[in-house]
Amino acid sequence: MLKIRRRQFLALGAGSAGAVILTELAGKLNQNLLQPALAGSQQHKSQDGLLELDLEAGYRPVRVGNTQAYLLSYNGQVPGPRLEANPGDTVRIHFTNNLSEPTNLHYHGLHITPQGNADNVFLSIPPKERLTYEFTIPPNHPAATFWYHPHHHGFVAEQVFGGLAGLFIVRGKLDEIPEVKAAQEEFLVLQDFALDANGRILAPNNMALMMGREGKLVTVNGQVNPNLSILAGGLLRLRFLNASASRFYRLKLEAHPLHLIATDGGALAEPVEVSELLLAPGERAEVLVRGERDSGQYRLLNLPYNRSGTGLMGNGRIKPGMNGMTGGMSNHDMGNQSQSPQVLATLTYRGSISRLALPKQLIPVTALPEPAVVRRLEFSMAMGAGRKMTFMFNNKTFDAKRVDTGVKLGTTEDWDLVNVDPDRMDHPFHIHVNSFQVVARNGQPEPYRAWKDTVLVQGGETLRIRIPFRDFSGKTVYHCHILDHEDLGMMGILEIRA
Ligand code: C2O
Ligand code: CU
Ligand code: CU
């Protein structure tokens, strides 16, 4: 009855004995030990300047929506526990790898050192081994919505798509603004899964690798269409994380504008009203919603979005049926091609209070100095012999032994991100350690300043971003946050030299 389909959950670690053992374990659990996962994830908050916890990555039965799934989880939960710390805190994470393949931890968006046992993506923690991560969050670190996830090159897409992701919240000035503090706070971790009939993760086919894998089961905090409540007259602070490996979310809340108050790396100077919000993988956004109706239910929607440009299927390079490109696509959902909106959550009015105001000012976003250097980074992909796909920056695929970009600590640079992908595919660019500001998009200045660490570069676009290299030297990376593209080479090594 139990089928061992190692490739379906660990395509790259399939040869190891660990995979077999874990699969058998899952089979036993399937027979007797199933119980629904806890509603909402565990939380760990720092106390007296220290955030310390045990964190285990493992393959476990987890309930997502009404489905019993077998996912990769942190401490048995999908999403993983929510961590909360303050600027100046020390963070100590006793990490155990119970997967059957190597992994590690990355602290996406945190401005901490990339060296040692901190935000070091070059560490490799083999199966069954442990490592204690320890670092300090700088005392002037901005408050924002950050997250942690695996970052072992070659395994990133598979492990994040398996469910490994959790929020890392840094508290601070933004949380103390009275209007923000008065708002009801909700975290929304957006994840999608492609499962077979037995709840096991489907292996990606070539098309899924090329587009980046997506799954039809779309979840918010591991739930399908959860309920959110709002008070008439009240304020709701929604903190979104796109923790999906490749899926984009074009968010819209029926009958309610969104008041954007923070992007990846921190608060805006003042709220910006938007009717919808596009979140590429890795991006975060915080919005305030005013309870401006009296009653009723309103859907939080994911509107259709085509992230593949126009060329992908039409240019004759990829034909359906080629080398299994279209085989087994049933539970994969590539590029949000679906033409109808999906419901992510439902907002319900429950009760009322006297009308709360939106904040007028948030936190100044300082202008960065003029750049010392301007660089150009071209994004592209190619199909090599045997239809081997490569994704590249400046025509080079990732090489762990090569430093692609050397910069000087304490300087500011402008990078032109130029998407020359022949398929006009979208690529969300992400850089570790330092947040940046977008200066211009296709030559047009941005309407307002914002701190970003992940930004969408659509097919054919050129973005100019300005990056300050502050406080920390060492080697780190930048990459496309469609994680299959990253694993297939669209990553470069940055060395910040003191
Ligand atoms: Cu969220 Cu280098 O990653
Ligand atoms: Cu990151
Ligand atoms: Cu990409």
Side-chain angles (χ1 to χ4, degrees):
M1 171 207 132
L2 172 68
K3 287 189 200 148
I4 299 178
R5 290 178 171 176
R6 283 166 286 170
R7 277 196 61 80
Q8 294 194 338
F9 72 100
L10 295 173
L12 294 160
S16 76
V20 180
I21 291 162
L22 283 175
T23 307
E24 285 167 355
L25 169 70
K28 288 202 186 92
L29 289 168
N30 193 11
Q31 284 151 25
N32 7 357
L33 294 174
L34 291 188
Q35 33 185 311
L38 302 169
S41 22
Q42 220 183 319
Q43 287 170 48
H44 295 267
K45 298 191 186 188
S46 65
Q47 280 185 332
D48 303 322
L50 177 66
L51 173 64
E52 185 166 24
L53 64 137
D54 293 323
L55 193 71
E56 181 244 18
Y59 177 65
R60 299 267 182 278
V62 180
R63 185 161 280 282
V64 274
N66 292 321
T67 310
Q68 185 60 54
Y70 297 87
L71 301 178
L72 308 185
S73 61
Y74 288 125
N75 293 357
Q77 304 182 353
V78 175
R82 182 170 95 227
L83 312 184
E84 285 197 23
N86 299 307
D89 285 352
T90 294
V91 178
R92 195 177 294 143
I93 298 176
H94 305 284
F95 179 70
T96 305
N97 179 9
N98 278 334
L99 306 174
S100 59
E101 56 188 25
T103 190
N104 62 15
L105 290 176
H106 164 52
Y107 306 91
H108 181 132
L110 284 187
H111 180 58
I112 56 173
T113 177
Q115 302 197 46
N117 288 0
D119 190 25
N120 184 346
V121 296
F122 305 106
L123 293 173
S124 175
I125 306 166
K128 302 292 161 209
E129 298 215 354
R130 311 176 49 119
L131 183 82
T132 296
Y133 281 92
E134 182 161 341
F135 54 86
T136 304
I137 302 173
N140 60 353
H141 199 288
T145 311
F146 304 105
W147 62 301
Y148 61 96
H149 64 78
H151 216 295
H152 193 299
H153 183 63
F155 299 91
V156 185
E158 177 193 342
Q159 292 181 1
V160 171
F161 194 64
L164 291 174
L167 284 163
F168 195 122
I169 300 301
V170 177
R171 294 289 179 186
K173 288 195 191 114
L174 175 60
D175 305 276
E176 295 308 316
I177 293 171
E179 294 87 351
V180 176
K181 205 171 182 171
Q184 165 75 33
E185 183 181 54
E186 298 285 356
F187 297 91
L188 295 95
V189 179
L190 309 176
Q191 289 172 296
D192 63 335
F193 301 98
L195 302 174
D196 70 11
N198 299 314
R200 289 188 164 75
I201 301 162
L202 282 169
N205 54 29
N206 281 346
M207 182 57 96
L209 289 177
M210 175 154 99
M211 287 300 299
R213 60 192 92 183
E214 292 190 15
K216 284 200 164 132
L217 179 61
V218 177
T219 63
V220 177
N221 303 336
Q223 295 167 269
V224 173
N225 189 12
N227 231 304
L228 294 165
S229 35
I230 189 166
L231 294 166
L235 279 181
L236 189 58
R237 177 186 182 187
L238 301 178
R239 307 184 66 166
F240 291 101
L241 158 63
N242 183 351
S244 301
S246 320
R247 180 177 289 274
F248 285 41
Y249 296 86
R250 191 179 145 210
L251 302 167
K252 182 174 179 66
L253 180 57
E254 286 179 320
H256 292 76
L258 305 174
H259 301 273
L260 185 66
I261 59 166
T263 50
D264 304 333
L268 301 180
E270 55 195 27
V272 172
E273 185 178 323
V274 295
S275 60
E276 55 176 75
L277 190 63
L278 180 64
L279 272 195
E283 285 189 299
R284 292 88 65 211
E286 293 190 36
V287 301
L288 292 176
V289 173
R290 289 179 48 212
E292 56 197 23
R293 310 271 148 176
D294 305 321
S295 61
Q297 292 203 320
Y298 301 87
R299 298 174 302 170
L300 174 66
L301 298 172
N302 182 20
L303 301 178
Y305 176 79
N306 182 358
R307 61 185 178 82
S308 65
T310 49
L312 180 67
M313 300 299 288
N315 66 2
R317 288 174 70 243
I318 310 286
K319 296 201 176 66
M322 224 166 82
N323 196 24
M325 283 280 186
T326 54
M329 278 179 66
S330 54
N331 277 314
H332 282 285
D333 203 12
M334 253 59 70
N336 269 16
Q337 299 292 356
S338 78
Q339 286 310 300
S340 49
Q342 294 168 301
V343 181
L344 295 175
T346 304
L347 180 71
T348 306
Y349 276 79
R350 289 183 212 281
S352 65
I353 50 168
S354 54
R355 193 168 176 275
L356 294 176
L358 285 171
K360 290 211 167 53
Q361 298 297 316
L362 297 162
I363 295 171
V365 181
T366 48
L368 292 167
E370 288 299 308
V373 177
V374 178
R375 292 177 203 274
R376 181 182 169 92
L377 208 61
E378 286 189 357
F379 302 22
S380 61
M381 73 88 72
M383 298 283 263
R387 278 184 286 279
K388 187 177 175 300
M389 285 171 264
T390 28
F391 288 85
M392 297 167 289
F393 285 131
N394 291 342
N395 291 311
K396 286 184 193 144
T397 185
F398 179 71
D399 179 349
K401 292 187 285 296
R402 182 185 70 225
V403 171
D404 297 277
T405 309
V407 303
K408 200 166 160 15
L409 181 64
T411 62
T412 298
E413 295 197 356
D414 275 6
W415 289 16
D416 284 333
L417 310 176
V418 189
N419 187 344
V420 296
D421 187 319
D423 285 319
R424 298 181 68 86
M425 229 190 278
D426 287 3
H427 296 289
F429 175 84
H430 170 52
I431 188 165
H432 291 200
V433 184
N434 292 284
S435 291
F436 55 81
Q437 294 173 9
V438 178
V439 178
R441 202 177 284 267
N442 299 321
Q444 298 302 307
E446 282 284 89
Y448 54 88
R449 286 198 287 265
W451 289 111
K452 297 288 294 165
D453 55 57
T454 308
V455 70
L456 175 59
V457 188
Q458 290 177 325
E461 271 193 326
T462 297
L463 259 66
R464 174 164 288 197
I465 63 170
R466 187 160 293 173
I467 322 167
F469 298 101
R470 291 174 173 159
D471 305 316
F472 303 109
S473 59
K475 278 188 201 170
T476 188
V477 292
Y478 49 86
H479 57 89
C480 177
H481 220 288
I482 289 177
L483 297 172
D484 284 294
H485 296 176
E486 180 273 309
D487 281 333
L488 291 168
M490 199 182 254
M491 177 152 78
I493 293 185
L494 170 72
E495 184 169 16
I496 306 168
R497 296 170 184 144

